Amino acid sequence: MSVLSLRYAHAFASVAASAHLNAAAAQQQLGDFSGTLAGSHDLREVLMNPSIANEQKLKVLDAIASRIGMFPQVRNFIAVIMDHQRLDELDEILNEYHVLADEQSNVAEAEITSARPLNDQDRAELEAQVAKLAGGRVRATYHQDATLLGGAVVRLGSTVYDGSIRGQLQQLKQKLVNA
């Protein structure tokens, strides 16, 4: 993470908040542009070439912005990054913005590991419990680990909540050893 990427992310987060942009939609638009840029060698060649006039680059950006349906603030942010020749750092800037947007909207990342696949109802119930722990909404990613035997392990930031049978057996073992 570079200091500049963090500054750009903070600047855009400030613009997005003052314009009351839908953070998820802004992230999607930025992600769509980033994916388009990554997927097109010709587009990268045009937008990152210092010998091509900025006006020409802006015309290309405007065509993409209208096709994607970008917020004007998102388009302008990309134009600033492009003008400052930072498009090669776009993904890093977007990662930083993603973290800031989650903090502002009180969304926490949760990593949930279970012994077996969870159905939609189990996921919804577990996410509701994790949201209570987080004090807000959560975006959960799921993994499986058959060695847990049952239950789940939830990682919320740097805190781990172990509700697995394996974890309970380890706690019981520790109590018996210390007794």
Side-chain angles (χ1 to χ4, degrees), residues 126-158:
L126 189 54
E127 286 179 29
Q129 293 299 316
V130 173
K132 288 179 187 176
L133 292 171
R137 297 178 312 180
V138 294
R139 183 178 309 108
T141 56
Y142 290 88
H143 307 283
Q144 282 183 258
D145 182 357
T147 65
L148 295 178
L149 304 175
V153 176
V154 176
R155 180 180 305 275
L156 193 59
S158 61

PDB file of all heavy atoms in Angstrom, residues 126-158:
ATOM      1  N   LEU A 126     -26.498 -17.303  10.530  1.00  0.00           N
ATOM      2  CA  LEU A 126     -25.132 -17.098  10.997  1.00  0.00           C
ATOM      3  C   LEU A 126     -24.682 -15.667  10.742  1.00  0.00           C
ATOM      4  O   LEU A 126     -24.082 -15.025  11.615  1.00  0.00           O
ATOM      5  CB  LEU A 126     -24.195 -18.099  10.313  1.00  0.00           C
ATOM      6  CG  LEU A 126     -22.765 -18.173  10.824  1.00  0.00           C
ATOM      7  CD1 LEU A 126     -22.715 -18.421  12.335  1.00  0.00           C
ATOM      8  CD2 LEU A 126     -22.006 -19.273  10.106  1.00  0.00           C
ATOM      9  N   GLU A 127     -24.989 -15.129   9.573  1.00  0.00           N
ATOM     10  CA  GLU A 127     -24.626 -13.743   9.262  1.00  0.00           C
ATOM     11  C   GLU A 127     -25.332 -12.763  10.187  1.00  0.00           C
ATOM     12  O   GLU A 127     -24.753 -11.740  10.570  1.00  0.00           O
ATOM     13  CB  GLU A 127     -24.917 -13.420   7.802  1.00  0.00           C
ATOM     14  CG  GLU A 127     -23.922 -14.053   6.851  1.00  0.00           C
ATOM     15  CD  GLU A 127     -24.210 -13.766   5.383  1.00  0.00           C
ATOM     16  OE1 GLU A 127     -24.788 -12.699   5.076  1.00  0.00           O
ATOM     17  OE2 GLU A 127     -23.835 -14.600   4.544  1.00  0.00           O
ATOM     18  N   ALA A 128     -26.577 -13.059  10.569  1.00  0.00           N
ATOM     19  CA  ALA A 128     -27.292 -12.189  11.506  1.00  0.00           C
ATOM     20  C   ALA A 128     -26.592 -12.175  12.862  1.00  0.00           C
ATOM     21  O   ALA A 128     -26.451 -11.115  13.493  1.00  0.00           O
ATOM     22  CB  ALA A 128     -28.742 -12.651  11.648  1.00  0.00           C
ATOM     23  N   GLN A 129     -26.137 -13.334  13.331  1.00  0.00           N
ATOM     24  CA  GLN A 129     -25.416 -13.407  14.610  1.00  0.00           C
ATOM     25  C   GLN A 129     -24.067 -12.684  14.521  1.00  0.00           C
ATOM     26  O   GLN A 129     -23.675 -11.971  15.442  1.00  0.00           O
ATOM     27  CB  GLN A 129     -25.199 -14.866  15.027  1.00  0.00           C
ATOM     28  CG  GLN A 129     -26.473 -15.606  15.373  1.00  0.00           C
ATOM     29  CD  GLN A 129     -27.203 -14.957  16.544  1.00  0.00           C
ATOM     30  OE1 GLN A 129     -26.591 -14.582  17.528  1.00  0.00           O
ATOM     31  NE2 GLN A 129     -28.504 -14.811  16.415  1.00  0.00           N
ATOM     32  N   VAL A 130     -23.377 -12.860  13.405  1.00  0.00           N
ATOM     33  CA  VAL A 130     -22.086 -12.204  13.216  1.00  0.00           C
ATOM     34  C   VAL A 130     -22.276 -10.687  13.120  1.00  0.00           C
ATOM     35  O   VAL A 130     -21.471  -9.912  13.647  1.00  0.00           O
ATOM     36  CB  VAL A 130     -21.351 -12.765  11.971  1.00  0.00           C
ATOM     37  CG1 VAL A 130     -20.088 -11.979  11.677  1.00  0.00           C
ATOM     38  CG2 VAL A 130     -21.030 -14.240  12.169  1.00  0.00           C
ATOM     39  N   ALA A 131     -23.364 -10.251  12.492  1.00  0.00           N
ATOM     40  CA  ALA A 131     -23.658  -8.819  12.394  1.00  0.00           C
ATOM     41  C   ALA A 131     -23.854  -8.211  13.784  1.00  0.00           C
ATOM     42  O   ALA A 131     -23.429  -7.085  14.038  1.00  0.00           O
ATOM     43  CB  ALA A 131     -24.894  -8.585  11.525  1.00  0.00           C
ATOM     44  N   LYS A 132     -24.463  -8.957  14.684  1.00  0.00           N
ATOM     45  CA  LYS A 132     -24.614  -8.477  16.064  1.00  0.00           C
ATOM     46  C   LYS A 132     -23.250  -8.309  16.720  1.00  0.00           C
ATOM     47  O   LYS A 132     -23.003  -7.333  17.422  1.00  0.00           O
ATOM     48  CB  LYS A 132     -25.476  -9.441  16.880  1.00  0.00           C
ATOM     49  CG  LYS A 132     -26.938  -9.419  16.523  1.00  0.00           C
ATOM     50  CD  LYS A 132     -27.707 -10.422  17.361  1.00  0.00           C
ATOM     51  CE  LYS A 132     -29.146 -10.529  16.907  1.00  0.00           C
ATOM     52  NZ  LYS A 132     -29.879 -11.577  17.649  1.00  0.00           N
ATOM     53  N   LEU A 133     -22.373  -9.274  16.493  1.00  0.00           N
ATOM     54  CA  LEU A 133     -21.020  -9.185  17.051  1.00  0.00           C
ATOM     55  C   LEU A 133     -20.260  -7.997  16.462  1.00  0.00           C
ATOM     56  O   LEU A 133     -19.506  -7.325  17.164  1.00  0.00           O
ATOM     57  CB  LEU A 133     -20.227 -10.468  16.774  1.00  0.00           C
ATOM     58  CG  LEU A 133     -20.671 -11.733  17.492  1.00  0.00           C
ATOM     59  CD1 LEU A 133     -19.926 -12.940  16.932  1.00  0.00           C
ATOM     60  CD2 LEU A 133     -20.418 -11.609  18.990  1.00  0.00           C
ATOM     61  N   ALA A 134     -20.464  -7.764  15.166  1.00  0.00           N
ATOM     62  CA  ALA A 134     -19.736  -6.701  14.475  1.00  0.00           C
ATOM     63  C   ALA A 134     -20.322  -5.331  14.762  1.00  0.00           C
ATOM     64  O   ALA A 134     -19.661  -4.317  14.568  1.00  0.00           O
ATOM     65  CB  ALA A 134     -19.748  -6.961  12.972  1.00  0.00           C
ATOM     66  N   GLY A 135     -21.569  -5.296  15.199  1.00  0.00           N
ATOM     67  CA  GLY A 135     -22.214  -4.011  15.435  1.00  0.00           C
ATOM     68  C   GLY A 135     -22.635  -3.324  14.152  1.00  0.00           C
ATOM     69  O   GLY A 135     -22.721  -2.108  14.091  1.00  0.00           O
ATOM     70  N   GLY A 136     -22.882  -4.079  13.126  1.00  0.00           N
ATOM     71  CA  GLY A 136     -23.298  -3.537  11.835  1.00  0.00           C
ATOM     72  C   GLY A 136     -23.500  -4.666  10.846  1.00  0.00           C
ATOM     73  O   GLY A 136     -23.672  -5.812  11.228  1.00  0.00           O
ATOM     74  N   ARG A 137     -23.468  -4.313   9.591  1.00  0.00           N
ATOM     75  CA  ARG A 137     -23.638  -5.324   8.545  1.00  0.00           C
ATOM     76  C   ARG A 137     -22.324  -6.059   8.298  1.00  0.00           C
ATOM     77  O   ARG A 137     -21.259  -5.547   8.614  1.00  0.00           O
ATOM     78  CB  ARG A 137     -24.116  -4.673   7.251  1.00  0.00           C
ATOM     79  CG  ARG A 137     -25.477  -4.023   7.393  1.00  0.00           C
ATOM     80  CD  ARG A 137     -25.891  -3.351   6.136  1.00  0.00           C
ATOM     81  NE  ARG A 137     -24.771  -2.526   5.654  1.00  0.00           N
ATOM     82  CZ  ARG A 137     -24.794  -1.798   4.552  1.00  0.00           C
ATOM     83  NH1 ARG A 137     -25.840  -1.795   3.805  1.00  0.00           N
ATOM     84  NH2 ARG A 137     -23.757  -1.075   4.201  1.00  0.00           N
ATOM     85  N   VAL A 138     -22.431  -7.238   7.711  1.00  0.00           N
ATOM     86  CA  VAL A 138     -21.235  -8.021   7.385  1.00  0.00           C
ATOM     87  C   VAL A 138     -21.285  -8.469   5.934  1.00  0.00           C
ATOM     88  O   VAL A 138     -22.354  -8.659   5.364  1.00  0.00           O
ATOM     89  CB  VAL A 138     -21.068  -9.266   8.290  1.00  0.00           C
ATOM     90  CG1 VAL A 138     -20.814  -8.869   9.723  1.00  0.00           C
ATOM     91  CG2 VAL A 138     -22.228 -10.205   8.183  1.00  0.00           C
ATOM     92  N   ARG A 139     -20.111  -8.610   5.368  1.00  0.00           N
ATOM     93  CA  ARG A 139     -19.942  -9.240   4.062  1.00  0.00           C
ATOM     94  C   ARG A 139     -19.162 -10.510   4.357  1.00  0.00           C
ATOM     95  O   ARG A 139     -18.004 -10.456   4.777  1.00  0.00           O
ATOM     96  CB  ARG A 139     -19.165  -8.342   3.117  1.00  0.00           C
ATOM     97  CG  ARG A 139     -19.043  -8.941   1.724  1.00  0.00           C
ATOM     98  CD  ARG A 139     -18.308  -8.054   0.723  1.00  0.00           C
ATOM     99  NE  ARG A 139     -18.823  -6.699   0.667  1.00  0.00           N
ATOM    100  CZ  ARG A 139     -18.186  -5.626   1.159  1.00  0.00           C
ATOM    101  NH1 ARG A 139     -17.036  -5.751   1.740  1.00  0.00           N
ATOM    102  NH2 ARG A 139     -18.713  -4.429   1.060  1.00  0.00           N
ATOM    103  N   ALA A 140     -19.801 -11.631   4.167  1.00  0.00           N
ATOM    104  CA  ALA A 140     -19.207 -12.905   4.564  1.00  0.00           C
ATOM    105  C   ALA A 140     -18.656 -13.669   3.372  1.00  0.00           C
ATOM    106  O   ALA A 140     -19.244 -13.665   2.293  1.00  0.00           O
ATOM    107  CB  ALA A 140     -20.245 -13.758   5.280  1.00  0.00           C
ATOM    108  N   THR A 141     -17.518 -14.297   3.617  1.00  0.00           N
ATOM    109  CA  THR A 141     -16.981 -15.267   2.672  1.00  0.00           C
ATOM    110  C   THR A 141     -16.940 -16.607   3.400  1.00  0.00           C
ATOM    111  O   THR A 141     -16.677 -16.644   4.608  1.00  0.00           O
ATOM    112  CB  THR A 141     -15.564 -14.894   2.189  1.00  0.00           C
ATOM    113  OG1 THR A 141     -14.707 -14.734   3.307  1.00  0.00           O
ATOM    114  CG2 THR A 141     -15.567 -13.621   1.376  1.00  0.00           C
ATOM    115  N   TYR A 142     -17.235 -17.655   2.690  1.00  0.00           N
ATOM    116  CA  TYR A 142     -17.376 -18.973   3.307  1.00  0.00           C
ATOM    117  C   TYR A 142     -16.302 -19.929   2.823  1.00  0.00           C
ATOM    118  O   TYR A 142     -15.910 -19.908   1.662  1.00  0.00           O
ATOM    119  CB  TYR A 142     -18.757 -19.554   2.987  1.00  0.00           C
ATOM    120  CG  TYR A 142     -19.867 -18.823   3.695  1.00  0.00           C
ATOM    121  CD1 TYR A 142     -20.472 -17.708   3.119  1.00  0.00           C
ATOM    122  CD2 TYR A 142     -20.293 -19.223   4.947  1.00  0.00           C
ATOM    123  CE1 TYR A 142     -21.474 -17.021   3.770  1.00  0.00           C
ATOM    124  CE2 TYR A 142     -21.296 -18.531   5.608  1.00  0.00           C
ATOM    125  CZ  TYR A 142     -21.882 -17.440   5.010  1.00  0.00           C
ATOM    126  OH  TYR A 142     -22.862 -16.758   5.673  1.00  0.00           O
ATOM    127  N   HIS A 143     -15.858 -20.768   3.764  1.00  0.00           N
ATOM    128  CA  HIS A 143     -14.888 -21.823   3.470  1.00  0.00           C
ATOM    129  C   HIS A 143     -15.355 -23.090   4.180  1.00  0.00           C
ATOM    130  O   HIS A 143     -16.151 -23.030   5.115  1.00  0.00           O
ATOM    131  CB  HIS A 143     -13.492 -21.452   3.977  1.00  0.00           C
ATOM    132  CG  HIS A 143     -13.017 -20.116   3.491  1.00  0.00           C
ATOM    133  ND1 HIS A 143     -12.539 -19.919   2.226  1.00  0.00           N
ATOM    134  CD2 HIS A 143     -12.959 -18.911   4.107  1.00  0.00           C
ATOM    135  CE1 HIS A 143     -12.208 -18.646   2.078  1.00  0.00           C
ATOM    136  NE2 HIS A 143     -12.459 -18.007   3.207  1.00  0.00           N
ATOM    137  N   GLN A 144     -14.834 -24.216   3.740  1.00  0.00           N
ATOM    138  CA  GLN A 144     -15.130 -25.486   4.389  1.00  0.00           C
ATOM    139  C   GLN A 144     -13.852 -26.109   4.919  1.00  0.00           C
ATOM    140  O   GLN A 144     -12.792 -25.992   4.308  1.00  0.00           O
ATOM    141  CB  GLN A 144     -15.770 -26.457   3.401  1.00  0.00           C
ATOM    142  CG  GLN A 144     -17.223 -26.170   3.145  1.00  0.00           C
ATOM    143  CD  GLN A 144     -17.787 -27.209   2.221  1.00  0.00           C
ATOM    144  OE1 GLN A 144     -17.956 -26.948   1.054  1.00  0.00           O
ATOM    145  NE2 GLN A 144     -18.047 -28.394   2.761  1.00  0.00           N
ATOM    146  N   ASP A 145     -13.981 -26.753   6.076  1.00  0.00           N
ATOM    147  CA  ASP A 145     -12.867 -27.470   6.684  1.00  0.00           C
ATOM    148  C   ASP A 145     -13.459 -28.651   7.449  1.00  0.00           C
ATOM    149  O   ASP A 145     -14.010 -28.482   8.538  1.00  0.00           O
ATOM    150  CB  ASP A 145     -12.083 -26.544   7.622  1.00  0.00           C
ATOM    151  CG  ASP A 145     -10.884 -27.227   8.258  1.00  0.00           C
ATOM    152  OD1 ASP A 145     -10.677 -28.444   8.021  1.00  0.00           O
ATOM    153  OD2 ASP A 145     -10.163 -26.553   9.007  1.00  0.00           O
ATOM    154  N   ALA A 146     -13.349 -29.829   6.874  1.00  0.00           N
ATOM    155  CA  ALA A 146     -13.947 -31.020   7.469  1.00  0.00           C
ATOM    156  C   ALA A 146     -13.328 -31.374   8.813  1.00  0.00           C
ATOM    157  O   ALA A 146     -13.955 -32.075   9.622  1.00  0.00           O
ATOM    158  CB  ALA A 146     -13.822 -32.205   6.515  1.00  0.00           C
ATOM    159  N   THR A 147     -12.139 -30.864   9.118  1.00  0.00           N
ATOM    160  CA  THR A 147     -11.498 -31.177  10.401  1.00  0.00           C
ATOM    161  C   THR A 147     -12.182 -30.485  11.576  1.00  0.00           C
ATOM    162  O   THR A 147     -11.888 -30.805  12.729  1.00  0.00           O
ATOM    163  CB  THR A 147     -10.000 -30.793  10.399  1.00  0.00           C
ATOM    164  OG1 THR A 147      -9.875 -29.376  10.271  1.00  0.00           O
ATOM    165  CG2 THR A 147      -9.260 -31.498   9.281  1.00  0.00           C
ATOM    166  N   LEU A 148     -13.095 -29.549  11.305  1.00  0.00           N
ATOM    167  CA  LEU A 148     -13.818 -28.883  12.390  1.00  0.00           C
ATOM    168  C   LEU A 148     -14.827 -29.821  13.052  1.00  0.00           C
ATOM    169  O   LEU A 148     -15.278 -29.544  14.156  1.00  0.00           O
ATOM    170  CB  LEU A 148     -14.546 -27.640  11.873  1.00  0.00           C
ATOM    171  CG  LEU A 148     -13.682 -26.500  11.361  1.00  0.00           C
ATOM    172  CD1 LEU A 148     -14.561 -25.361  10.852  1.00  0.00           C
ATOM    173  CD2 LEU A 148     -12.743 -26.004  12.421  1.00  0.00           C
ATOM    174  N   LEU A 149     -15.213 -30.881  12.363  1.00  0.00           N
ATOM    175  CA  LEU A 149     -16.181 -31.880  12.820  1.00  0.00           C
ATOM    176  C   LEU A 149     -17.604 -31.347  12.824  1.00  0.00           C
ATOM    177  O   LEU A 149     -18.534 -32.056  12.494  1.00  0.00           O
ATOM    178  CB  LEU A 149     -15.838 -32.414  14.219  1.00  0.00           C
ATOM    179  CG  LEU A 149     -14.437 -33.014  14.379  1.00  0.00           C
ATOM    180  CD1 LEU A 149     -14.199 -33.389  15.843  1.00  0.00           C
ATOM    181  CD2 LEU A 149     -14.260 -34.217  13.481  1.00  0.00           C
ATOM    182  N   GLY A 150     -17.826 -30.127  13.194  1.00  0.00           N
ATOM    183  CA  GLY A 150     -19.151 -29.505  13.229  1.00  0.00           C
ATOM    184  C   GLY A 150     -19.005 -28.079  13.717  1.00  0.00           C
ATOM    185  O   GLY A 150     -17.947 -27.668  14.190  1.00  0.00           O
ATOM    186  N   GLY A 151     -20.073 -27.294  13.602  1.00  0.00           N
ATOM    187  CA  GLY A 151     -20.016 -25.909  14.046  1.00  0.00           C
ATOM    188  C   GLY A 151     -19.313 -25.036  13.023  1.00  0.00           C
ATOM    189  O   GLY A 151     -19.192 -25.384  11.858  1.00  0.00           O
ATOM    190  N   ALA A 152     -18.838 -23.872  13.511  1.00  0.00           N
ATOM    191  CA  ALA A 152     -18.189 -22.925  12.604  1.00  0.00           C
ATOM    192  C   ALA A 152     -17.161 -22.096  13.354  1.00  0.00           C
ATOM    193  O   ALA A 152     -17.233 -21.943  14.572  1.00  0.00           O
ATOM    194  CB  ALA A 152     -19.236 -22.003  11.976  1.00  0.00           C
ATOM    195  N   VAL A 153     -16.218 -21.572  12.590  1.00  0.00           N
ATOM    196  CA  VAL A 153     -15.225 -20.632  13.099  1.00  0.00           C
ATOM    197  C   VAL A 153     -15.418 -19.342  12.314  1.00  0.00           C
ATOM    198  O   VAL A 153     -15.470 -19.364  11.083  1.00  0.00           O
ATOM    199  CB  VAL A 153     -13.787 -21.159  12.909  1.00  0.00           C
ATOM    200  CG1 VAL A 153     -12.769 -20.121  13.354  1.00  0.00           C
ATOM    201  CG2 VAL A 153     -13.592 -22.464  13.657  1.00  0.00           C
ATOM    202  N   VAL A 154     -15.540 -18.230  13.032  1.00  0.00           N
ATOM    203  CA  VAL A 154     -15.775 -16.939  12.401  1.00  0.00           C
ATOM    204  C   VAL A 154     -14.591 -16.024  12.697  1.00  0.00           C
ATOM    205  O   VAL A 154     -14.231 -15.839  13.857  1.00  0.00           O
ATOM    206  CB  VAL A 154     -17.086 -16.295  12.913  1.00  0.00           C
ATOM    207  CG1 VAL A 154     -17.268 -14.910  12.315  1.00  0.00           C
ATOM    208  CG2 VAL A 154     -18.275 -17.187  12.614  1.00  0.00           C
ATOM    209  N   ARG A 155     -14.017 -15.470  11.654  1.00  0.00           N
ATOM    210  CA  ARG A 155     -12.943 -14.476  11.810  1.00  0.00           C
ATOM    211  C   ARG A 155     -13.543 -13.127  11.420  1.00  0.00           C
ATOM    212  O   ARG A 155     -13.986 -12.928  10.305  1.00  0.00           O
ATOM    213  CB  ARG A 155     -11.756 -14.795  10.923  1.00  0.00           C
ATOM    214  CG  ARG A 155     -10.616 -13.777  11.053  1.00  0.00           C
ATOM    215  CD  ARG A 155      -9.438 -14.120  10.167  1.00  0.00           C
ATOM    216  NE  ARG A 155      -8.936 -15.462  10.379  1.00  0.00           N
ATOM    217  CZ  ARG A 155      -8.049 -15.812  11.329  1.00  0.00           C
ATOM    218  NH1 ARG A 155      -7.596 -14.907  12.154  1.00  0.00           N
ATOM    219  NH2 ARG A 155      -7.652 -17.061  11.430  1.00  0.00           N
ATOM    220  N   LEU A 156     -13.554 -12.221  12.366  1.00  0.00           N
ATOM    221  CA  LEU A 156     -14.098 -10.881  12.184  1.00  0.00           C
ATOM    222  C   LEU A 156     -12.980  -9.909  12.508  1.00  0.00           C
ATOM    223  O   LEU A 156     -12.660  -9.684  13.677  1.00  0.00           O
ATOM    224  CB  LEU A 156     -15.286 -10.698  13.124  1.00  0.00           C
ATOM    225  CG  LEU A 156     -16.198  -9.504  12.927  1.00  0.00           C
ATOM    226  CD1 LEU A 156     -16.804  -9.514  11.537  1.00  0.00           C
ATOM    227  CD2 LEU A 156     -17.307  -9.531  13.959  1.00  0.00           C
ATOM    228  N   GLY A 157     -12.356  -9.390  11.461  1.00  0.00           N
ATOM    229  CA  GLY A 157     -11.166  -8.566  11.681  1.00  0.00           C
ATOM    230  C   GLY A 157     -10.063  -9.454  12.220  1.00  0.00           C
ATOM    231  O   GLY A 157      -9.731 -10.484  11.655  1.00  0.00           O
ATOM    232  N   SER A 158      -9.507  -9.073  13.372  1.00  0.00           N
ATOM    233  CA  SER A 158      -8.445  -9.891  13.965  1.00  0.00           C
ATOM    234  C   SER A 158      -8.978 -10.802  15.068  1.00  0.00           C
ATOM    235  O   SER A 158      -8.216 -11.509  15.708  1.00  0.00           O
ATOM    236  CB  SER A 158      -7.350  -8.984  14.531  1.00  0.00           C
ATOM    237  OG  SER A 158      -7.888  -8.164  15.545  1.00  0.00           O
TER     238      SER A 158
END
